[in-house]
Amino acid sequence: MTITADTLLAGWDRGLLTARDRVIDSPRVRERGRLVRASGLVLEIVGLRLPLGAHCWIEQIDGRDHAEAEVVGFSGRSLLLMPFAETTGLIPGARVWPVLGPPGSRTGAAKSMPVGPALLGRVLDARGRPLDGGPLPSDADHAALAGASINPLERAPIRNVLDTGIRAINALLTVGRGQRLGLFAGSGVGKSVLLGMMARFTAADVIVVGLIGERGREVKDFIDNILGEAGLARAVVVAAPADTSPLLRLQGADYATRIAEDFRDRGQDVLLIMDSLTRYAMAQREIALAIGEPPATKGYPPSVFARLPTLVERAGNGRNGGGSITAFYTVLTEGDDQQDPIADAARAILDGHFVLSRQLAEAGHYPAIDIEASISRAMTALIDATQLSRVQYFKRMFSRYERSRDLIAVGAYAAGSDPTLDEAIALHPQMESFLQQGMSERSDHHDAAAGLAALVAGNEATS
Ligand SMILES: Nc1ncnc2c1ncn2[C@@H]1O[C@H](COP(=O)(O)OP(=O)(O)OP(=O)(O)O)[C@@H](O)[C@H]1O
Ligand SMILES: [Mg+2]
């Protein structure tokens, strides 16, 4: 056979390709990319082919540790990455390596996070690292961040009452195990205090708290003063405050949900508290806008509205006979605007919403739950007809009074002209004190139901 230049070159090519493949597949040698652009939060790299969600290390100057970043999008042949923490030492052309999974895998490491009972009483960040000073227990179980979804037809229905320890909720807005609710409120109207009361008083095996995107100072305050030692003992707290990257804020919420799922799969009844769902949505908005997704509804890109249900749907009951996750998500209604797009979306995907009213808080009425504006969609399946008629009677009397509140206040209402209103006026002081509750007072479900029955007794029949 004659050796031509062509066959020689083809042979070299084949040899080179085989050698290249061997090098790339070798676990000891990694592919490498280059940083070509940094604009705002987004880093653009070339030379790597990785799936969305894969992690990379990026070289930093001055001998700093490599920065870790996640692939959040791509454009043509370049990958768009977002770092997990603030980066200061990046330079044009910096080298980028994929964080490899098990040998042979080219898709990046699956995120494996600590979960399970060893975490009780602990405060962790969004990456599962302790924030409370102590080391992570060596016997902590680990699980992939993404939980397996449950076939909706296999989920146990919401059938059992959950005792929240809050009188107004237990009696008038009964919550069931596995229900997912929104706590809608503006700033400073008592969300944290109410959530803390629930965390301490609720009849649940485990409390998982996700503090997402709130001020750092609040995290400490919530743990020390609101949750307290007793609350923390049966709780796991995941904190991703406002100064962490949007990626970590998203991951913090996913991680808290994953911890709750793990306890549920162990057959336990979990109370998941997420403060706040709005900040979770804002983190997704930050990422989506940074990689060029167009804003749609009031500045929120569509991916935000796609992401909310995927988080919320993970809470709820497990399979029949298994555990449950009852979840409360706080939703910020800036300027008490109930029409905010996130509030709207949350109302549509949750099984009820409790509205905290600034007016009540300003009047010193705590918890400032607006009974008229709040609803628990599972309630009718949880309480009997007698209880339901008492609830309806209470709400009727309460609204009747509220509608005429101004008239009554200025003395323009002449007693006797409207028998229902007379009844509402007579009952009002009792209704007010029934709805109020001190921070350290617990009211169990039976006491609340009995209190409501006593309040309504004698009047129900006449209404
Ligand atoms: N049950 C209660 N009894 C008495 N005071 C209360 C009660 N709940 C809340 N407060 C008062 O309301 C204040 C604000 O409450 P909280 O910090 O829970 O509000 P927030 O809605 O979480 O505020 P932010 O929006 O700043 O996070 C508390 O400092 C406390 O004085
Ligand atoms: Mg708060």
Side-chain angles (χ1 to χ4, degrees):
M1 159 184 175
T2 40
I3 298 176
T4 63
D6 277 355
T7 49
L8 203 58
L9 281 175
W12 277 347
D13 270 359
R14 262 200 309 280
L16 277 175
L17 282 176
T18 327
R20 192 202 68 168
D21 284 350
R22 266 211 304 257
V23 168
I24 286 174
D25 285 337
S26 153
R28 296 170 61 86
V29 179
R30 297 171 180 185
E31 281 179 283
R32 207 167 64 183
R34 291 274 177 194
L35 178 63
V36 291
R37 198 169 116 97
S39 148
L41 292 170
V42 178
L43 307 174
E44 189 176 328
I45 63 160
V46 293
L48 281 178
R49 237 176 115 222
L50 294 170
L52 293 176
H55 286 197
C56 294
W57 295 114
I58 307 176
E59 171 190 41
Q60 297 192 91
I61 52 164
D62 302 339
R64 284 194 190 87
D65 273 351
H66 293 341
E68 192 174 357
E70 182 173 314
V71 180
V72 289
F74 53 81
S75 166
R77 286 175 165 271
S78 42
L79 293 179
L80 305 176
L81 270 62
M82 200 169 269
F84 278 103
E86 203 178 317
T87 47
T88 46
L90 295 179
I91 47 166
R95 290 173 294 177
V96 183
W97 296 270
V99 176
L100 289 184
S105 114
R106 302 253 300 273
T107 54
K111 289 176 200 164
S112 170
M113 312 284 287
V115 292
L119 303 185
L120 286 175
R122 302 303 302 270
V123 184
L124 306 159
D125 72 6
R127 312 170 84 176
R129 294 183 300 206
L131 286 172
D132 50 11
L136 196 68
S138 53
D139 57 344
D141 296 324
H142 282 73
L145 187 57
S149 61
I150 301 180
N151 176 341
L153 298 182
E154 286 177 12
R155 274 185 193 268
I158 301 171
R159 282 279 175 269
N160 304 314
V161 171
L162 178 81
D163 187 343
T164 58
I166 316 288
R167 188 163 46 241
I169 297 178
N170 283 345
L172 302 168
L173 296 163
T174 315
V175 173
R177 282 192 194 281
Q179 198 172 341
R180 296 151 316 168
L181 293 125
L183 192 62
F184 289 59
S187 56
V189 295
K191 288 183 300 296
S192 303
V193 171
L194 182 60
L195 291 176
M197 287 168 74
M198 286 183 196
R200 278 176 290 136
F201 303 150
T202 297
D205 299 318
V206 178
I207 317 289
V208 179
V209 183
L211 299 175
I212 309 302
E214 299 295 316
R215 288 152 290 173
R217 179 189 58 78
E218 264 211 311
V219 173
K220 187 163 169 47
D221 186 53
F222 187 85
I223 293 162
D224 292 350
N225 304 327
I226 297 180
L227 200 51
E229 223 169 287
L232 186 60
R234 59 169 187 160
V236 184
V237 179
V238 177
D243 58 348
T244 53
S245 79
L247 273 180
L248 284 182
R249 277 175 266 147
L250 288 184
Q251 185 166 315
D254 287 337
Y255 180 36
T257 308
R258 186 67 192 92
I259 294 175
E261 283 174 331
D262 176 76
F263 281 114
R264 174 186 65 194
D265 295 345
R266 292 170 198 258
Q268 299 199 292
D269 288 317
V270 183
L271 175 69
L272 172 66
I273 291 173
M274 197 71 82
D275 188 11
S276 72
L277 191 65
T278 305
R279 304 264 186 238
Y280 176 81
M282 287 175 171
Q284 174 62 25
R285 173 172 68 177
E286 259 178 71
I287 296 175
L289 292 178
I291 60 173
E293 194 183 335
T297 320
K298 289 200 183 166
Y300 285 96
S303 64
V304 173
F305 302 99
R307 188 138 188 168
L308 288 179
T310 57
L311 180 76
V312 167
E313 278 298 320
R314 289 168 65 183
N317 280 330
R319 294 185 175 83
N320 272 313
S324 65
I325 303 175
T326 312
F328 280 90
Y329 298 92
T330 62
V331 177
L332 305 172
T333 46
E334 305 288 346
D336 301 292
D337 172 16
Q338 302 293 325
Q339 304 312 317
D340 169 80
I342 299 303
D344 252 356
R347 249 196 304 272
I349 55 177
L350 294 167
D351 317 316
H353 53 272
F354 297 172
V355 178
L356 297 191
S357 134
R358 184 168 303 279
Q359 209 182 346
L360 289 174
E362 279 169 358
H365 177 122
Y366 289 110
I369 303 171
D370 181 343
I371 292 295
E372 295 175 276
S374 304
I375 183 166
S376 164
R377 293 192 193 167
M379 187 161 96
T380 45
L382 295 167
I383 59 174
D384 60 25
T386 323
Q387 168 92 355
L388 188 61
S389 79
R390 286 177 187 148
V391 171
Q392 284 165 344
Y393 174 75
F394 186 107
K395 286 193 167 180
R396 227 172 18 246
M397 286 294 121
F398 195 79
S399 335
R400 189 67 196 86
Y401 183 91
E402 289 302 318
R403 262 187 286 148
S404 309
R405 178 183 272 279
D406 293 343
L407 277 185
I408 301 165
V410 297
Y413 172 69
S417 41
D418 177 346
T420 317
L421 185 52
D422 289 337
E423 201 176 324
I425 294 172
L427 270 180
H428 194 254
Q430 292 173 59
M431 293 196 287
E432 286 260 273
S433 69
F434 183 79
L435 295 175
Q436 292 179 28
Q437 190 171 335
M439 286 185 209
S440 49
E441 183 194 340
R442 180 176 196 277
S443 166
D444 73 27
H445 184 68
H446 294 290
D447 290 349
L452 180 65
L455 196 152
V456 168
N459 295 300
E460 221 176 344
T462 63
S463 68

